[in-house]
Amino acid sequence: MGKTVLIVDDSVSMRQMVAFTLQGAGFEVIEAGDGKEAVSKLNGGAKPNLVITDLNMPNMDGIALIKAIRGMAAHKFTPILMLTTESAEAKKKEGQAAGATGWIVKPFNPDQMLQVIKKVLP
Amino acid sequence: MNVMTWIVGAVIGGMVAGMGVTYWLMRCRDSCGDREPQVNPVEQQWAEHERLWRDFCDAVSPLLPVLIAQLKVVVEETGRAADGLIERFQTIAQRARAQVEETTQLFGAMTDAQGDGQPTVARLLDETRATMEMFVQEVIKTSQISMKAVAVMEQATDSTASISQMVEEVEFIADQTRLLALNAAIEAARAGEHGRGFAVVADEVTKLANRSGHAVTRIRELTEGVRSSTEAAMRELGVLASVDMTPTLQAQQRVNGFTEIMARKTVMLEENVNKGSERANELADDIAQIVMSMQFQDITRQKIEHVYEPLEKIQFCLERFRSDQNTSHPPDTSLKEAMAFLHELEARYTMESERMVMGQVKQGRQDNVELFATAAAGNGDNITLF
Ligand SMILES: [Mg+2]
């Protein structure tokens, strides 16, 4: 069975692009429009093998989402990739401290993204 | 978009700073106006400045909501357009992938690329050619055997002719013998009692001659039967032996020509299918490029948001300055918050390129901001694994 990826981004077009890339590579995809929606989907029983999240989102941003996910027993070790326009080192450090596994700056290259996913998936 | 952001930002920033000064000047003049009845040239200049600022504020105030609304419309419309484009593009990409897959599968079935034991076109063609060749060889062999059989039968016919001659000889001997026996019987009768024994011998010789004659007739009948049967067989075999090979050879040529054309077409088809999979790879690259460029919508949306959000604060400040200019109460916290937002705009930026441009402008380098912004946007080490 294909592995499942949770995509969190407030931009519909970004979610579609990531979903298209991943589905083309055989992944199942769950989408959430912000951190809050993502948390409620995870609490509702979603069991992704990987989370890809934006940083800047309304309601709950990417850093807060990572902290929330790391607080869940089931997802303590689930890999989390940030996918954001942000490329500042300070922000990356903040993400790393919160528990992110990796950082991809937009715009992403589909092949590169799939390679990174292959690397971080358990 | 960035240039516009910075020009609008710089102009409006200067404007807000200027308004602050004017506001302070106005307050100051209001408090000291009563003590200085005579016309002061500095005050006159201030009054002129104030009038200009009021004009400027009156002009800009209704303009800002328009600019903000237009930027929001741009964000909304490009967002809708991008969603539509992505949806269509996904459909196209899926169709293209499906088509390439179908072609490959179809050709795979034809050439047994999947190894399911189905006959390949090339093998079928080879078999057809081989079967045709075998058929032609069989026809030629049959014709050759028939010719040999005809030769053997010709020998048999010659033999029957020799037999006929010998039979005539035997017939002649039988006739002569009969004649001889008749003469012997006559001579025996003439001899009377003495020739009686000889008459018995003559009678027996006549009987033998008659039996020879019957045998000869029977042999002639049989030989005639053999001759006519052989001739009939020779006629039949002759048809087989002299059968015209031309139509058979022509048929073989036609079948060979046909199989050659089929083989060439199969090779062409294979080349096209290979080209098809090359195109599938190109398609994958194109899709990657489209996926890359479709992300512009999220990036530009954020940049435009970083233009209209400060514009909204500027509009708020401007409105407050206009409505407060005739009152004496001090600015409240919401105004301070709006001003703080503008001062700390950089902290709200989500892109390094935005900060780099802001840094340039803050250092007084406003020339070539556009070039710098473009360079900064393409900058970035885009993958980091912790
Ligand atoms: Mg976002």
Side-chain angles (χ1 to χ4, degrees), chain A residues 9-11 54-58 106, chain B residues 298 301-302:
Chain A
D9 201 305
D10 57 329
S11 157
D54 185 18
L55 174 61
N56 305 293
M57 295 179 288
K106 289 176 189 175
Chain B
D298 185 43
R301 189 205 68 197
Q302 291 186 47

Side-chain angles (χ1 to χ4, degrees), chain A residues 10-11 13-14 16-17 20 56 85-88 92 96 100-110 116, chain B residues 83 86 89-90 93 287-288 291-292 294-295 297-298 301-302 349-352 355 382-386:
Chain A
D10 57 329
S11 157
S13 58
M14 276 308 302
Q16 281 181 317
M17 285 290 103
F20 177 77
N56 305 293
T85 51
E86 186 61 79
S87 60
K92 288 185 190 175
Q96 186 179 11
T101 315
W103 194 283
I104 303 174
V105 179
K106 289 176 189 175
F108 73 87
N109 172 314
V116 170
Chain B
D83 289 350
I86 289 165
F89 148 69
Q90 282 178 337
I287 288 174
V291 169
M292 289 280 283
M294 287 309 281
Q295 296 170 62
Q297 198 270 330
D298 185 43
R301 189 205 68 197
Q302 291 186 47
Y349 282 165
T350 54
M351 279 164 249
E352 217 29 19
R355 281 180 217 113
N382 67 348
I383 292 176
T384 315
L385 285 178
F386 302 130

Side-chain angles (χ1 to χ4, degrees), chain B residues 53-302:
Chain B
W53 267 108
R54 276 178 203 270
D55 267 3
F56 178 71
C57 293
D58 289 345
V60 169
S61 197
L63 202 61
L64 282 174
V66 174
L67 293 180
I68 292 164
Q70 280 171 345
L71 288 175
K72 284 184 175 175
V73 166
V74 167
V75 168
E76 205 174 297
E77 282 180 355
T78 52
R80 260 204 309 274
D83 289 350
L85 274 173
I86 289 165
E87 228 165 86
R88 296 251 160 81
F89 148 69
Q90 282 178 337
T91 315
I92 291 170
Q94 273 158 6
R95 273 191 204 146
R97 276 178 185 164
Q99 201 177 349
V100 167
E101 222 163 274
E102 272 171 30
T103 313
T104 313
Q105 269 182 6
L106 186 73
F107 189 69
M110 270 177 71
T111 58
D112 193 23
Q114 291 159 327
D116 57 0
Q118 297 216 325
T120 71
V121 170
R123 212 164 66 210
L124 274 178
L125 292 176
D126 281 347
E127 270 173 27
T128 306
R129 258 198 300 267
T131 307
M132 193 63 206
E133 180 61 30
M134 220 163 72
F135 169 72
V136 169
Q137 288 308 322
E138 285 302 315
V139 170
I140 290 172
K141 216 191 276 174
T142 307
S143 169
Q144 284 168 346
I145 290 171
S146 305
M147 283 197 287
K148 272 184 198 159
V150 168
V152 170
M153 294 212 176
E154 269 167 0
Q155 278 177 2
T157 312
D158 289 350
S159 299
T160 48
S162 308
I163 290 170
S164 293
Q165 276 176 1
M166 283 161 80
V167 164
E168 272 172 29
E169 192 68 26
V170 171
E171 210 168 25
F172 175 74
I173 290 168
D175 284 347
Q176 288 303 311
T177 307
R178 242 196 317 267
L179 204 63
L180 208 61
L182 186 65
N183 287 334
I186 292 166
E187 289 303 323
R190 216 182 268 163
E193 199 57 33
H194 297 288
R196 187 159 295 166
F198 192 64
V200 172
V201 172
D203 191 43
E204 284 305 312
V205 169
T206 304
K207 278 181 189 165
L208 280 175
N210 282 343
R211 272 180 71 180
S212 294
H214 285 312
V216 161
T217 308
R218 186 79 190 116
I219 289 169
R220 177 172 283 140
E221 275 169 14
L222 285 173
T223 312
E224 183 55 31
V226 169
R227 196 193 54 81
S228 69
S229 299
T230 309
E231 265 176 13
M234 269 170 69
R235 268 200 305 279
E236 297 294 326
L237 279 171
V239 172
L240 266 183
S242 66
V243 73
D244 188 3
M245 287 298 291
T246 317
T248 309
L249 292 172
Q250 278 175 347
Q252 185 188 26
Q253 269 174 355
R254 273 204 299 275
V255 169
N256 283 350
F258 165 74
T259 52
E260 259 167 45
I261 290 170
M262 281 294 285
R264 268 206 302 279
K265 298 243 173 198
T266 310
V267 169
M268 260 164 65
L269 188 64
E270 190 172 6
E271 277 170 9
N272 281 333
V273 168
N274 287 342
K275 264 186 213 154
S277 42
E278 255 170 58
R279 288 204 189 104
N281 289 335
E282 284 167 12
L283 181 73
D285 290 345
D286 288 344
I287 288 174
Q289 279 307 310
I290 293 171
V291 169
M292 289 280 283
S293 46
M294 287 309 281
Q295 296 170 62
F296 80 93
Q297 198 270 330
D298 185 43
I299 296 167
T300 53
R301 189 205 68 197
Q302 291 186 47

